[in-house]
Amino acid sequence: MNMTNTVTMTTVEIAELTGKRHDNVLRDARAVVSQVNALKSEAIETVYTDGRSREKPMLVLDKHLTFTLITGYDTGLRYNVVGRWIELEQAANPAFAAQAITETLK
């Protein structure tokens, strides 16, 4: 979905791509939005029409929230993203490797 030239993805699309039920994806997305205190522009609540012509709620998520949600579903993906991020930080700042994990988490 594309709103004002911002690339977005809906919880319906995420459910289809992950093979999960939409109600579960919607629940998980709402939890992510709440936990990270997302802005209204990052997660827009709207509706879609299901196969039975009923209006149902869905969220439209920006890229950051979409990635946050989907990496929670796949341990391998989450592992790769975190590993790559660590590589990038180490390349940018070699002293990063020596930092304690508590400092990294701050």
Side-chain angles (χ1 to χ4, degrees):
M1 188 169 208
N2 190 329
M3 302 173 87
T4 62
N5 294 331
T6 300
V7 178
T8 60
M9 187 174 284
T10 69
T11 52
V12 172
E13 292 171 300
I14 294 168
E16 290 170 0
L17 290 169
T18 60
K20 298 188 176 296
R21 288 181 22 177
H22 179 253
D23 60 326
N24 293 331
V25 172
L26 182 60
R27 177 203 61 217
D28 296 344
R30 285 177 171 153
V32 167
V33 167
S34 174
Q35 290 170 9
V36 301
N37 296 317
L39 303 173
K40 293 285 185 195
S41 62
E42 296 170 311
I44 300 165
E45 182 107 22
T46 188
V47 296
Y48 74 102
T49 304
D50 73 5
R52 295 182 179 167
S53 298
R54 299 176 297 184
E55 285 194 345
K56 298 283 205 155
M58 75 173 179
L59 285 174
V60 179
L61 306 175
D62 72 357
K63 183 178 181 179
H64 194 167
L65 287 174
T66 298
F67 280 30
T68 301
L69 177 63
I70 64 171
T71 58
Y73 288 144
D74 185 317
T75 302
L77 177 60
R78 185 170 53 246
Y79 180 84
N80 290 338
V81 169
V82 170
R84 178 64 179 142
W85 194 259
I86 289 170
E87 288 175 1
L88 292 168
E89 286 183 325
Q90 287 175 339
N93 179 7
F96 174 79
Q99 289 180 321
I101 190 68
T102 52
E103 289 302 312
T104 302
L105 295 175
K106 288 183 184 174

